[in-house]
Amino acid sequence: LKVLSNIDSIIRSPRAPPLIYRRSKGPTQNYIKENGQECGFEHLPLTIEMWADQLMALKDLHRSLRKLTLELVPWHITDPQDNRESVRVQDLQFMVDTVLEEIENKEKNSQTPSLPTLFAIVSHFQKLFDVNSLNGIYPRMNEVYTKLGELTNAMRNLHELLELDSSVPPTVVVDTVGKLCDIINENVTEQVQQLLGTQDIHSIMDKLEEHECFFPPFQALIQDLLCLLEISNLDDILPTVQNLK
């Protein structure tokens, strides 16, 4: 009877959930306390069984939350071998609050792009530089970096050689180089024309044919004279012939 009185005092406590106390209805067995008041406990076994199931579920929930916390915020896990028997709701709430706080801070402060954004960047790089596999991305990045460095140095040197400002775009550099090539080609053509004494391309061709016909016999004659006169320098031919007179 004293045990029943203790139970009754517990379930009537202001801290006790309303679920655990309700008066019996119908022809149920009542227990009499010392003061003669009746109390009904016939529903308590079911409630206690439900609580036992919930306590077991708390352990499972605790393990799941630890795995989630270890995945999201591993630096907050201090004891991965935590096998204590009793699990408190406060512990679970603390773990949830820790994860939520970390996620909120990351969203506010972190500049790390999301996984879909990174995937889109990788796919765009593969499309731009014709990379078929993920393994080929790093080699192609290195190749692009090397080529870019070579082109940058070449453009810098051209800017300096052409005395152009560094802000001048590559198209202007190309146009300037093209103009220089045209000027050089015009000068070469003019010099050839002056050398051959003609302004007509057909005359130039005729002059070249004449030279091709003249120079081989002339070269053979000179070689024979050098051998005959036993000299090796062209400048010595005339003095040697004059001495023979």
Side-chain angles (χ1 to χ4, degrees):
L1 186 60
K2 184 177 180 181
V3 173
L4 295 178
S5 299
N6 292 337
I7 294 176
D8 189 61
S9 64
I10 292 174
I11 65 177
R12 289 176 180 272
S13 171
R15 297 182 57 189
L19 174 66
I20 68 173
Y21 176 75
R22 59 176 180 267
R23 283 190 174 277
S24 302
K25 295 181 181 180
T28 57
Q29 183 179 5
N30 296 327
Y31 298 93
I32 306 300
K33 292 177 51 177
E34 291 179 346
N35 58 7
Q37 295 180 352
E38 66 176 17
C39 57
F41 302 139
E42 69 278 358
H43 66 285
L44 287 184
L46 295 177
T47 302
I48 294 174
E49 289 179 1
M50 181 190 68
W51 286 356
D53 293 338
Q54 292 299 313
L55 288 175
M56 293 300 297
L58 277 181
K59 292 183 178 181
D60 296 336
L61 179 59
H62 183 259
R63 283 193 293 268
S64 299
L65 282 177
R66 282 188 61 81
K67 291 180 180 179
L68 180 62
T69 307
L70 184 61
E71 182 69 24
L72 297 179
V73 285
W75 49 90
H76 284 289
I77 298 297
T78 57
D79 185 10
Q81 302 297 328
D82 189 359
N83 296 322
R84 55 185 172 177
E85 295 183 359
S86 61
V87 178
R88 298 178 304 173
V89 175
Q90 297 93 314
D91 299 332
L92 305 182
Q93 187 64 48
F94 175 75
M95 296 172 70
V96 172
D97 291 341
T98 300
V99 173
L100 291 177
E101 181 181 0
E102 195 68 29
I103 292 176
E104 292 175 357
N105 292 336
K106 180 177 293 186
E107 291 177 352
K108 292 179 181 178
N109 303 324
S110 177
Q111 300 298 324
T112 303
S114 62
L115 185 60
T117 301
L118 294 176
F119 179 77
I121 292 174
V122 172
S123 299
H124 189 61
F125 181 88
Q126 289 182 273
K127 182 178 180 181
L128 286 179
F129 298 101
D130 193 23
V131 182
N132 297 324
S133 65
L134 293 177
N135 293 333
I137 289 180
Y138 282 111
R140 186 56 58 87
M141 281 185 175
N142 294 333
E143 181 181 351
V144 171
Y145 178 79
T146 301
K147 293 294 183 182
L148 178 62
E150 294 176 354
L151 292 176
T152 302
N153 291 334
M155 291 302 297
R156 185 186 301 112
N157 293 334
L158 286 174
H159 278 92
E160 294 177 357
L161 290 174
L162 299 175
E163 297 181 355
L164 297 175
D165 188 79
S166 58
S167 61
V168 172
T171 53
V172 176
V173 176
V174 174
D175 292 340
T176 304
V177 172
K179 292 178 182 178
L180 287 177
C181 291
D182 293 338
I183 292 174
I184 292 173
N185 290 334
E186 290 176 359
N187 291 338
V188 170
T189 302
E190 183 179 356
Q191 291 175 3
V192 171
Q193 291 175 349
Q194 292 177 357
L195 177 63
L196 299 177
T198 178
Q199 303 295 323
D200 186 7
I201 187 64
H202 294 289
S203 299
I204 294 175
M205 295 175 62
D206 293 340
K207 291 287 187 180
L208 290 175
E209 290 179 356
E210 291 177 1
H211 282 81
E212 288 181 357
C213 294
F214 170 76
F215 276 105
F218 177 76
Q219 183 179 11
L221 175 62
I222 294 300
Q223 291 294 335
D224 292 341
L225 283 174
L226 292 175
C227 293
L228 180 63
L229 299 175
E230 297 180 354
I231 57 178
S232 59
N233 195 344
L234 291 177
D235 295 335
D236 295 335
I237 292 178
L238 185 59
T240 303
V241 172
Q242 289 176 346
N243 291 333
L244 292 176
K245 295 173 61 176

